[in-house]
Amino acid sequence: MLRVFKIIAFLEGISLLVLFSNMLFLKPTNIELYKTLLFPVGMAHGLLFIGYIVMATMFKMEENWPWKKYGIVCVASVLPFGTFYVEKKLL
């Protein structure tokens, strides 16, 4: 179960970076490609984010994580490169 959570954390971090890259680099230069990629990348990121939070909540309950660790794991899902930090340091 921990291995699945690490994979979801990694993929969620990648999807967030791809989504930001799409917004920062493609929107000003190629609006058609931006619009084409926005929905699939956004949907993938949304599903991975939900999976990440659900898995973190499951681990909080099963492994009796302290609230501080759970909070750090949840906040890291919003920050760029945050999930990579959680994957290496806290898990």
Side-chain angles (χ1 to χ4, degrees), residues 16 49 52-53 68-80 82-83 86:
L16 180 64
F49 175 77
Y52 180 85
I53 295 297
K68 183 178 178 181
K69 182 175 182 179
Y70 177 69
I72 290 171
V73 168
C74 289
V75 168
S77 68
V78 182
L79 303 173
T83 58
V86 166

Side-chain angles (χ1 to χ4, degrees), residues 29-44:
T29 59
N30 191 348
I31 195 74
E32 291 301 318
L33 184 59
Y34 164 77
K35 288 180 181 180
T36 304
L37 291 176
L38 184 63
F39 180 76
V41 172
M43 181 63 75

Side-chain angles (χ1 to χ4, degrees), residues 11-46:
L11 292 176
E12 201 275 331
I14 293 292
S15 71
L16 180 64
L17 294 177
V18 169
L19 191 61
F20 282 163
S21 298
N22 186 26
M23 291 186 314
L24 292 173
F25 302 120
L26 288 181
K27 188 174 182 182
T29 59
N30 191 348
I31 195 74
E32 291 301 318
L33 184 59
Y34 164 77
K35 288 180 181 180
T36 304
L37 291 176
L38 184 63
F39 180 76
V41 172
M43 181 63 75
H45 172 68

Side-chain angles (χ1 to χ4, degrees), residues 50-69:
I50 291 169
Y52 180 85
I53 295 297
V54 167
M55 296 274 303
T57 305
M58 288 172 52
F59 270 104
K60 200 255 180 267
M61 291 178 190
E62 288 177 6
E63 296 189 11
N64 209 10
W65 281 356
W67 282 102
K68 183 178 178 181
K69 182 175 182 179

